[in-house]
Amino acid sequence: MWMLEIPPFVPFFLCGFLAAITRGKLRAVIMLAIPVLSGIHLWMMPEGEFLHFNFLGFELMPYRVDKLSLMFGYVFHIAALMAIIYSLHVRDTVQQVASVLYAGSALGAVFAGDLLTLFIFWELLAFTSVFLVFARRSDRAYAAGMRYLIIQVLSGVILLAGAIFYAGSEGTLLFDYIGLNGVAGWLIFIAFGIKCAFPFFHNWLTDAYPEATVTGTVFLSAFTTKVAVYSFARAYPGTDLLIYIGATMACFPIFFAVIENDLRRVLAYSLINQVGFMVVGIGIGTALAINGAVSHAFNDIIFKGLLFMSMGAVLYMTGRINGSDLGGLYKTMPKTTILCIVGAASISAFPLFSGFVSKSMVMSAALETNHDWVWLMLLFASAGVFHHAGIKIPYFAFFAHDSGIRASDPPLNMTLAMTMAAALCVAIGVYPAALYSLLPFDTGYNPYDATHVLAQTQLLFFSALAFVWLNLMKLYPPELPSTNLDVEWTYRRAFPWVWSKIVLISSTVYQLVARDLLSKIGKGFNYLARKNDDRLSGLLSRDHPAGSMVLWVVVILAAYLILSLFH
Amino acid sequence: MDKKEQHLFDNPKNVKRLLNGFYVICLILFLLDFVIHRHVYHRWENLWGFYPIYGFVGCVILVFVATWMRTFLMRSEDYYQTVNKNKLKTAHQQNQPSGGDENVDA
């Protein structure tokens, strides 16, 4: 059958354009139809490289389809469709257009076969998604969005610099295995790392995601970090450094998540924790580990989307999202409660839920390659993620003390989107073979043997027991309205403080110099000039600018001389 | 807000039942360690109750460390806003978390 090879970003960008010029029901129909049609088109797409052309002597390949990119392509379509259904009630052109353009940019990035195309979509991801933060239309959101944009664009600029170095050293721009060799390898690694929320670069995520709109956060959680995970899987599989970075990412955010009050920020921290598992998998680099990383990215998009949707529903219906303000919502929001618990069970990797079938692959791979300490860290992170995302989120929102809020379940479209996500979580958990058949490698892995199931269930139930015990002993830290300092403190508090001090000191010094010293020098010159009957000023020039011009000519010539010496 | 309306966990008995069921499951899971033959990948897994103890102790340490972190990381809710207070005062103060997606087109 002859088929047009349309890169998936094209229908999404078209959808963005159509959404901008239509209104109401027509817009809803277009926004629902295009991801579905594009998804069907992608499903029928054979593997291969399409669209080649030359640009300044470099071969560009904007559309490359292989198992790795297809996996992300499928899940991005699913995520886009669910998030669009979730946001059907929104009547905000900026948000709706930005969200489909954002999804399209993510699809463009994962099917990009060369670094230049990747760079373009990398930056488009930043510029389209930031409107989902701005759309909250508050001062806080605006400031958070600007910080997000600066960091994301910085990542893109570093990627471009890396790509230029890469083209210089390798003579090609094709996007394949890069590895940590030379300047290019490191620059691209850092660019990916920033978007992947590596430790010390992670605060853009915990800063901006909770400030975005209810529906915007659902889109945000799906794409940006997963594009970075895909890029690492493509360019840096088997890089040892990633194992240790990933293990750190899996562990440190859970401490912050336990004491964080804003429940969507708790989820943002747990997003970093889940990405940590993927990064470890890519770092190990065996077939099983890469499979684990990719399938965990696939599942994470769905269950993290579900959790963000359920917390979005709480925020939408109650106007509150702080754990200290919520509680007892199960009474009037039973559907949201159950769907949230399904998401919580999935992220905690309970057997029969989706997280289990993918996370266990990464853990097994860590053991097989004798990374004992990494395995222990991941085990701790698994217990920890259950603690903060699996129990804390549902417990403080829907149970705990009764806050007296009596909000009802959210509108039908939101419930429907959450139900779809929950159904997928359970379906993948019960029948993982469907997911495994899409994976890049065939490893014949079976997660459901007695050893795995028992070990994981024991780990989780005793983590829960710890929560119960701590709660009964009143040792569990209560939810408090607060801000917790993180790395962002350096650029939100320390740098501005230091900068303001520098400005203050230098302006004071300048004033002193200008007012006292310069006036004294001026007086001195005036005195000399008067004494010499104005002959002195005529030596260089009667006008001041001409005199200073001579000085600058001297400076330039001197610089030229020095440069020529080094040549 | 109907105060007479009784919900599942308003009755302390139900909470008790749930917790008791949970304790029983934990006990069974712990005992299963001695019954089921494991396919062991790592020597630590041979230790009896490795996973239950690791899960429990890990989480207790997690919570204690996190609580301790509060002593030096916790600041007031509007910590970052206070810097820009003067700037924001002139603009309308919109720092309260709102629903966030008012339908602006409607």
Side-chain angles (χ1 to χ4, degrees):
Chain A
M1 191 182 82
W2 182 82
M3 207 167 76
L4 259 176
E5 290 128 8
I6 307 169
F9 73 87
V10 174
F12 276 81
F13 282 12
L14 184 71
C15 179
F17 173 71
L18 291 175
I21 57 170
T22 52
R23 288 286 179 277
K25 286 223 167 76
L26 181 61
R27 180 193 277 175
V29 171
I30 290 170
M31 288 187 65
L32 285 177
I34 286 192
V36 173
L37 293 176
S38 171
I40 294 171
H41 180 252
L42 186 66
W43 185 255
M44 297 192 297
M45 205 68 200
E47 285 179 39
E49 291 157 358
F50 311 99
L51 295 180
H52 283 268
F53 53 87
N54 273 302
F55 175 75
L56 299 178
F58 289 105
E59 188 192 359
L60 297 192
M61 195 201 298
Y63 190 27
R64 167 182 56 190
V65 181
D66 62 10
K67 280 214 158 182
L68 187 61
S69 50
L70 268 181
M71 189 80 186
F72 283 86
Y74 295 145
V75 74
F76 283 174
H77 276 87
I78 296 171
L81 182 65
M82 286 191 315
I84 286 171
I85 294 175
Y86 185 76
S87 55
L88 272 182
H89 63 281
V90 177
R91 300 276 174 277
D92 177 0
T93 309
V94 172
Q95 246 191 99
Q96 287 170 301
V97 171
S99 58
V100 281
L101 292 181
Y102 175 44
S105 309
L107 283 163
V110 295
F111 287 109
D114 63 88
L115 287 167
L116 194 63
T117 315
L118 182 72
F119 162 74
I120 291 168
F121 286 112
W122 201 261
E123 292 288 36
L124 277 176
L125 274 172
F127 283 110
T128 51
S129 58
V130 74
F131 285 97
L132 299 173
V133 185
F134 289 157
R136 187 84 175 266
R137 293 179 171 81
S138 67
D139 295 332
R140 272 178 76 137
Y142 177 73
M146 288 313 287
R147 288 190 293 270
Y148 169 82
L149 190 61
I150 290 168
I151 294 170
Q152 296 291 312
V153 169
L154 179 72
S155 158
V157 171
I158 296 172
L159 175 63
L160 181 63
I164 291 168
F165 274 100
Y166 189 73
S169 62
E170 307 288 322
T172 173
L173 275 173
L174 291 186
F175 180 36
D176 277 305
Y177 180 79
I178 296 173
L180 281 178
N181 309 311
V183 185
W186 279 99
L187 281 175
I188 297 172
F189 187 84
I190 292 168
F192 290 175
I194 293 175
K195 242 193 179 55
C196 205
F198 275 6
F200 301 108
F201 301 124
H202 64 278
N203 272 132
W204 61 263
L205 198 158
T206 57
D207 184 18
Y209 284 17
E211 298 301 340
T213 62
V214 164
T215 54
T217 312
V218 178
F219 280 98
L220 287 169
S221 74
F223 299 114
T224 301
T225 47
K226 305 312 177 301
V227 168
V229 167
Y230 159 82
S231 309
F232 272 120
R234 168 83 61 199
Y236 297 93
T239 305
D240 271 350
L241 183 59
L242 285 178
I243 302 176
Y244 307 109
I245 294 176
T248 314
M249 286 172 78
C251 286
F252 89 88
I254 56 184
F255 293 96
F256 283 92
V258 166
I259 49 175
E260 179 57 54
N261 190 26
D262 182 329
L263 294 183
R264 292 205 299 173
R265 190 160 281 127
V266 173
L267 287 177
Y269 275 112
S270 103
L271 177 60
I272 302 173
N273 149 283
Q274 294 299 304
V275 171
F277 281 89
M278 300 166 211
V279 172
V280 170
I282 295 165
I284 293 171
T286 58
L288 181 65
I290 297 283
N291 269 358
V294 172
S295 57
H296 201 54
F298 191 100
N299 289 337
D300 179 70
I301 288 174
I302 297 167
F303 60 63
K304 190 51 62 62
L306 173 56
L307 285 168
F308 268 118
M309 283 195 269
S310 64
M311 284 304 109
V314 168
L315 174 60
Y316 183 69
M317 299 310 292
T318 68
R320 296 179 181 85
I321 196 59
N322 286 342
S324 52
D325 301 335
L326 294 168
L329 289 175
Y330 79 96
K331 298 173 181 177
T332 49
M333 300 179 79
K335 288 180 205 157
T336 314
T337 308
I338 291 168
L339 293 167
C340 178
I341 290 173
V342 172
S346 303
I347 195 174
S348 317
F350 262 99
L352 298 182
F353 291 93
S354 62
F356 177 72
V357 301
S358 49
K359 198 190 275 178
S360 57
M361 274 195 263
V362 178
M363 309 278 286
S364 299
L367 267 186
E368 278 177 14
T369 49
N370 297 320
H371 287 98
D372 292 352
W373 287 101
V374 172
W375 175 70
L376 276 182
M377 283 172 86
L378 292 184
L379 208 57
F380 170 69
S382 302
V385 69
F386 179 47
H387 209 91
H388 73 258
I391 306 178
K392 174 177 168 159
I393 292 278
Y395 180 74
F396 284 108
F398 299 109
F399 303 100
H401 72 287
D402 191 341
S403 61
I405 302 170
R406 292 290 179 267
S408 56
D409 268 318
L412 179 66
N413 65 303
M414 290 173 121
T415 321
L416 185 67
M418 288 192 276
T419 312
M420 277 173 63
L424 271 173
C425 286
V426 176
I428 293 172
V430 173
Y431 185 65
L435 176 70
Y436 290 170
S437 69
L438 299 173
L439 287 173
F441 305 101
D442 187 12
T443 54
Y445 181 79
N446 174 28
Y448 286 112
D449 60 22
T451 312
H452 271 129
V453 174
L454 180 65
Q456 182 69 6
T457 322
Q458 283 176 333
L459 185 77
L460 294 179
F461 267 84
F462 279 81
S463 307
L465 190 65
F467 182 85
V468 171
W469 180 71
L470 288 164
N471 244 328
L472 290 178
M473 302 297 287
K474 309 253 182 262
L475 288 172
Y476 199 81
E479 296 292 283
L480 295 173
S482 59
T483 306
N484 294 310
L485 302 185
D486 200 341
V487 178
E488 64 187 342
W489 178 82
T490 52
Y491 58 81
R492 291 181 68 177
R493 251 308 169 64
F495 287 162
W497 185 84
V498 170
W499 180 244
S500 70
K501 287 292 164 205
I502 289 173
V503 169
L504 193 70
I505 290 168
S506 55
S507 71
T508 319
V509 169
Y510 176 77
Q511 272 182 3
L512 277 176
V513 170
R515 212 185 288 158
D516 299 342
L517 202 62
L518 284 184
S519 71
K520 273 176 191 154
I521 292 172
K523 272 180 192 161
F525 275 120
N526 284 344
Y527 172 76
L528 282 174
R530 254 183 284 119
K531 213 179 175 193
N532 292 293
D533 205 11
D534 261 354
R535 269 170 298 169
L536 186 72
S537 55
L539 282 177
L540 282 173
S541 161
R542 212 166 274 283
D543 301 313
H544 187 64
S548 67
M549 205 169 74
V550 171
L551 181 72
W552 282 111
V553 169
V554 171
V555 170
I556 290 166
L557 287 176
Y560 193 71
L561 179 71
I562 292 165
L563 284 175
S564 67
L565 286 178
F566 282 108
H567 190 63
Chain B
M1 284 190 214
D2 187 6
K3 282 200 172 162
K4 273 177 263 173
E5 205 182 340
Q6 273 285 324
H7 292 279
L8 188 60
F9 297 118
D10 283 346
N11 186 352
K13 257 190 195 166
N14 286 337
V15 179
K16 195 95 193 148
R17 272 183 208 144
L18 182 78
L19 284 181
N20 284 338
F22 174 71
Y23 296 144
V24 172
I25 296 174
C26 283
L27 188 70
I28 294 172
L29 281 170
F30 191 77
L31 294 178
L32 274 178
D33 231 15
F34 302 91
V35 182
I36 291 184
H37 173 72
R38 273 180 202 283
H39 179 63
V40 178
Y41 298 90
H42 196 278
R43 59 181 188 284
W44 293 327
E45 289 180 279
N46 274 324
L47 304 169
W48 281 339
F50 171 75
Y51 285 100
I53 291 167
Y54 194 83
F56 188 87
V57 172
C59 280
V60 170
I61 291 173
L62 164 68
V63 168
F64 283 168
V65 171
T67 316
W68 168 73
M69 278 165 59
R70 265 193 171 166
T71 56
F72 56 90
L73 288 182
M74 196 163 80
R75 295 291 184 277
S76 72
E77 201 168 16
D78 55 355
Y79 174 73
Y80 287 118
Q81 271 77 57
T82 49
V83 182
N84 303 325
K85 221 174 207 169
N86 298 328
K87 220 191 291 173
L88 292 184
K89 258 183 194 164
T90 48
H92 51 294
Q93 201 117 32
Q94 265 192 315
N95 286 335
Q96 288 302 314
S98 68
D101 69 345
E102 287 84 21
N103 280 337
V104 289
D105 277 3

